[in-house]
Amino acid sequence: MHVTSEQRLDDGVLEREFTLGEIPGILWTPTPTPAPTSAPAPLILLGHPPLGLRKMYPRLVARARHSAAEGFATATIELPGSGDRPRWPAVEQARADLRRAMEAGEPVSDEIVDALVLPLVDKAVPEWQAALDALLALPEIGGPVGYSGGVISIGIRLAVVEPRISAAVLFAGSLVPRALFEEARQVTIPLHVLLQWDDEGNDRRAALDLFDAFSSKEKSLHAHLGGHTGVPQFAGDAAAQFFTRHLK
């Protein structure tokens, strides 16, 4: 892990950009309490859609600041095929097929969903795990670890294969391959799931079925009226309270 830049934000949060091999990322850590009372901060991995870190930065830094105020470190990495990372022709074609189907008012086939999501999950999850290895090696960061937001299929796979993740906030706002429904049955960590009831690009019935598939003993579904980008501010407050209960 190589730090390429750092700055102290106006609220005292330390922001460090880094690279992990060829993968860019950003780490935010809260203002430390005076030694010797300071302790490693619990960590939240900030997921995001495959739109590129530069485009997502305003939303990511807002989430990071909110989390830092609660005493959490947060980090994110660029997803495969996004931002300045090399294009991924097969996934680009799947995105084009998805747009074509939606513009034509046609149902999105399982083949399109699989081609769009499964390669991303297969490549992104090991990269998240490598980032987690590097982040937890820093003295100012400790467990437990949470995962928040982003592509829900990535969150599902991480919850299944990564034992260091203790709790997750998932956003039911993206297409999920059928194979991931089966993986969801293996998820047992506490879950806080957000659902926008009128999300124009999401199958509400499928989102409810996915929630039902999770095997977690503690799982809660928080549904709000509105479209994909209409998540209310208080929903973020509830998610922060969820992480405070499970990571502190």
Side-chain angles (χ1 to χ4, degrees):
M1 179 176 173
H2 175 63
V3 175
T4 58
S5 69
E6 68 174 60
Q7 64 171 329
R8 184 75 67 176
L9 304 182
D10 55 17
D11 54 1
V13 174
L14 179 61
E15 176 183 278
R16 282 170 281 183
E17 296 187 8
F18 64 86
T19 56
L20 190 67
E22 300 299 318
I23 305 168
I26 310 174
L27 167 64
W28 295 271
T29 48
T31 303
T33 56
T37 58
S38 60
L43 175 66
I44 299 173
L45 304 177
L46 298 182
H48 53 89
L51 301 175
L53 285 184
R54 292 180 184 176
K55 184 172 183 178
M56 293 303 302
Y57 177 81
R59 290 166 61 182
L60 287 165
V61 73
R63 292 164 63 191
R65 287 179 184 236
H66 191 275
S67 297
E70 302 297 326
F72 296 107
T74 52
T76 192
I77 58 174
E78 188 73 87
L79 291 175
S82 297
D84 294 329
R85 297 188 65 181
R87 298 297 93 185
W88 204 346
V91 173
E92 293 287 327
Q93 182 59 53
R95 287 175 182 162
D97 293 341
L98 173 64
R99 285 193 298 269
R100 188 179 305 111
M102 295 184 70
E103 289 170 359
E106 299 172 353
V108 178
S109 68
D110 288 345
E111 290 76 13
I112 292 176
V113 176
D114 288 354
L116 179 66
V117 179
L118 290 178
L120 178 63
V121 173
D122 289 343
K123 188 170 178 59
V125 167
E127 294 179 351
W128 274 113
Q129 290 181 291
L132 188 53
D133 291 340
L135 292 163
L136 290 179
L138 299 174
E140 65 270 36
I141 296 177
V145 180
Y147 177 83
S148 176
V151 178
I152 193 169
S153 293
I154 292 176
I156 292 169
R157 176 70 61 79
L158 274 170
V160 171
V161 303
E162 181 47 72
R164 292 173 292 184
I165 293 179
S166 302
V169 171
L170 302 177
F171 179 48
S174 54
L175 298 167
V176 179
R178 291 296 166 189
L180 268 297
F181 275 75
E182 293 307 312
E183 293 190 34
R185 303 184 196 283
Q186 303 174 49
V187 175
T188 59
I189 62 173
L191 296 177
H192 179 104
V193 182
L194 297 170
L195 171 64
Q196 286 301 103
W197 201 249
D198 306 302
D199 191 335
E200 59 282 357
N202 189 37
D203 184 331
R204 184 196 302 164
R205 181 69 260 170
L208 295 174
D209 290 343
L210 179 63
F211 179 78
D212 190 49
F214 291 125
S215 296
S216 304
K217 291 183 179 179
E218 181 188 335
K219 60 179 181 178
S220 57
L221 179 66
H222 301 257
H224 305 98
L225 296 177
H228 187 80
T229 60
V231 181
Q233 177 61 45
F234 63 81
D237 297 336
Q241 293 169 7
F242 168 82
F243 278 134
T244 297
R245 288 198 310 273
H246 292 286
L247 303 185
K248 286 191 172 183

